Amino acid sequence: MTDCLFCKMVNGDTPVNKIYEDEDVLAFHDINPQAPHHFLVIPKAHIKTLNDIDDAKLLGKLTLTVSNIAQDLGFADEGYRVVMNCNEQGGQTVYHIHLHCLGGRALTWPPG
Ligand code: AMP
Ligand code: ZN
Protein backbone atom coordinates (compact mmCIF):
# COMPACT_ATOMS: atom_id res chain seq x y z
CA MET A 1 0.00 0.00 0.00
CA THR A 2 1.17 3.53 -0.74
CA ASP A 3 2.27 5.77 2.11
CA CYS A 4 1.19 8.90 0.22
CA LEU A 5 -1.74 10.55 2.03
CA PHE A 6 -3.31 11.96 -1.13
CA CYS A 7 -2.99 8.62 -2.99
CA LYS A 8 -4.81 7.04 -0.04
CA MET A 9 -7.61 9.57 -0.55
CA VAL A 10 -7.74 8.75 -4.26
CA ASN A 11 -7.85 5.03 -3.45
CA GLY A 12 -10.54 5.40 -0.78
CA ASP A 13 -8.17 4.24 1.96
CA THR A 14 -8.54 7.42 4.02
CA PRO A 15 -11.54 9.74 4.47
CA VAL A 16 -11.83 12.76 2.22
CA ASN A 17 -14.23 15.70 2.34
CA LYS A 18 -14.80 15.52 -1.40
CA ILE A 19 -16.05 18.38 -3.58
CA TYR A 20 -15.49 16.97 -7.07
CA GLU A 21 -14.00 13.91 -8.76
CA ASP A 22 -13.53 12.65 -12.30
CA GLU A 23 -11.18 10.19 -13.99
CA ASP A 24 -8.17 12.53 -13.70
CA VAL A 25 -8.62 14.79 -10.68
CA LEU A 26 -9.98 14.94 -7.13
CA ALA A 27 -10.95 18.09 -5.21
CA PHE A 28 -11.56 18.26 -1.47
CA HIS A 29 -11.73 20.69 1.44
CA ASP A 30 -8.44 21.40 3.20
CA ILE A 31 -8.40 19.94 6.72
CA ASN A 32 -6.73 23.09 8.11
CA PRO A 33 -8.37 25.94 6.18
CA GLN A 34 -6.46 29.21 5.92
CA ALA A 35 -9.46 31.14 4.58
CA PRO A 36 -13.27 30.77 4.70
CA HIS A 37 -12.94 28.81 1.45
CA HIS A 38 -9.86 26.58 1.14
CA PHE A 39 -9.89 23.52 -1.06
CA LEU A 40 -7.27 21.44 -2.86
CA VAL A 41 -7.28 19.97 -6.36
CA ILE A 42 -4.98 17.02 -7.03
CA PRO A 43 -4.28 14.73 -9.96
CA LYS A 44 -5.21 11.11 -9.31
CA ALA A 45 -1.77 10.12 -10.55
CA HIS A 46 1.02 10.32 -7.98
CA ILE A 47 3.27 13.21 -9.04
CA LYS A 48 5.61 14.48 -6.33
CA THR A 49 6.22 18.12 -7.20
CA LEU A 50 5.64 20.69 -9.90
CA ASN A 51 9.16 19.86 -11.09
CA ASP A 52 8.01 16.33 -11.94
CA ILE A 53 5.13 17.09 -14.34
CA ASP A 54 5.33 17.89 -18.04
CA ASP A 55 1.70 17.09 -18.84
CA ALA A 56 0.32 20.47 -19.91
CA LYS A 57 -3.15 19.06 -20.46
CA LEU A 58 -3.36 17.73 -16.92
CA LEU A 59 -1.98 20.97 -15.46
CA GLY A 60 -4.58 22.89 -17.43
CA LYS A 61 -7.32 20.62 -16.20
CA LEU A 62 -6.23 21.06 -12.58
CA THR A 63 -6.37 24.82 -13.00
CA LEU A 64 -9.74 24.83 -14.75
CA THR A 65 -11.12 22.58 -12.03
CA VAL A 66 -10.19 25.24 -9.47
CA SER A 67 -12.09 27.99 -11.30
CA ASN A 68 -15.08 25.76 -11.97
CA ILE A 69 -15.38 24.88 -8.28
CA ALA A 70 -14.87 28.51 -7.17
CA GLN A 71 -17.73 29.47 -9.48
CA ASP A 72 -19.92 26.61 -8.25
CA LEU A 73 -19.26 27.54 -4.61
CA GLY A 74 -20.13 31.16 -5.41
CA PHE A 75 -16.98 33.12 -4.53
CA ALA A 76 -15.30 33.38 -7.94
CA ASP A 77 -16.51 36.91 -8.65
CA GLU A 78 -15.23 38.23 -5.31
CA GLY A 79 -11.85 36.67 -6.07
CA TYR A 80 -9.54 33.98 -4.81
CA ARG A 81 -5.92 32.85 -4.90
CA VAL A 82 -4.46 29.71 -6.47
CA VAL A 83 -1.20 28.43 -5.00
CA MET A 84 1.06 25.47 -5.68
CA ASN A 85 3.86 25.09 -3.16
CA CYS A 86 6.98 23.38 -4.51
CA ASN A 87 9.59 21.70 -2.35
CA GLU A 88 10.95 22.85 0.99
CA GLN A 89 11.37 26.58 0.48
CA GLY A 90 8.04 26.75 -1.30
CA GLY A 91 6.38 25.36 1.80
CA GLN A 92 5.33 21.99 0.37
CA THR A 93 4.46 19.45 3.06
CA VAL A 94 2.55 16.79 1.09
CA TYR A 95 4.59 15.43 -1.81
CA HIS A 96 1.72 14.75 -4.21
CA ILE A 97 1.06 17.90 -6.21
CA HIS A 98 -1.97 19.97 -5.37
CA LEU A 99 -3.39 23.36 -6.17
CA HIS A 100 -4.65 25.33 -3.18
CA CYS A 101 -7.63 27.60 -3.73
CA LEU A 102 -8.20 30.23 -1.03
CA GLY A 103 -11.14 32.61 -1.01
CA GLY A 104 -13.79 34.28 1.05
CA ARG A 105 -11.57 36.98 2.54
CA ALA A 106 -9.17 39.68 1.33
CA LEU A 107 -5.73 38.08 0.92
CA THR A 108 -2.51 40.02 1.45
CA TRP A 109 0.51 40.14 -0.82
CA PRO A 110 3.32 39.17 -0.67
CA PRO A 111 2.89 35.92 1.25
CA GLY A 112 5.25 35.42 4.20
P1 AMP B 1 1.30 21.96 1.18
O1 AMP B 1 1.89 22.52 2.46
O2 AMP B 1 1.24 22.94 0.07
O3 AMP B 1 1.97 20.65 0.82
O4 AMP B 1 -0.22 21.68 1.54
C1 AMP B 1 -0.69 20.50 2.11
C2 AMP B 1 -2.09 20.78 2.54
O5 AMP B 1 -2.74 19.55 2.80
C3 AMP B 1 -2.19 21.61 3.84
O6 AMP B 1 -2.93 22.81 3.58
C4 AMP B 1 -2.91 20.67 4.80
O7 AMP B 1 -3.78 21.35 5.67
C5 AMP B 1 -3.63 19.75 3.84
N1 AMP B 1 -3.97 18.45 4.41
C6 AMP B 1 -3.14 17.64 5.12
N2 AMP B 1 -3.80 16.53 5.49
C7 AMP B 1 -5.07 16.65 5.00
C8 AMP B 1 -6.23 15.83 5.04
N3 AMP B 1 -6.24 14.64 5.68
N4 AMP B 1 -7.36 16.28 4.43
C9 AMP B 1 -7.36 17.47 3.81
N5 AMP B 1 -6.29 18.27 3.71
C10 AMP B 1 -5.16 17.88 4.31
ZN1 ZN C 1 0.39 10.31 -4.06
Side-chain angles (χ1 to χ4, degrees):
M1 192 209 270
T2 176
D3 58 4
C4 171
L5 174 65
F6 288 177
C7 281
K8 285 182 182 164
M9 290 180 176
V10 169
N11 296 337
D13 294 328
T14 202
V16 56
N17 193 355
K18 183 164 59 179
I19 302 171
Y20 173 80
E21 179 176 19
D22 66 23
E23 66 274 21
D24 301 314
V25 306
L26 175 68
F28 52 90
H29 294 285
D30 197 290
I31 202 169
N32 183 23
Q34 301 301 311
H37 297 286
H38 186 178
F39 65 84
L40 304 179
V41 179
I42 70 171
K44 288 194 165 177
H46 180 77
I47 300 163
K48 273 173 39 179
T49 80
L50 184 57
N51 296 333
D52 302 304
I53 181 170
D54 61 1
D55 184 341
K57 194 171 171 194
L58 181 58
L59 272 172
K61 182 165 184 176
L62 291 164
T63 309
L64 287 175
T65 301
V66 170
S67 67
N68 287 337
I69 292 172
Q71 289 171 76
D72 286 349
L73 296 182
F75 61 91
D77 287 348
E78 286 75 31
Y80 56 91
R81 183 168 297 165
V82 183
V83 174
M84 187 183 278
N85 298 324
C86 183
N87 279 333
E88 190 178 348
Q89 289 204 349
Q92 186 171 4
T93 59
V94 177
Y95 282 80
H96 178 135
I97 58 168
H98 46 282
L99 288 174
H100 293 258
C101 180
L102 300 128
R105 67 172 171 84
L107 299 160
T108 56
W109 190 264

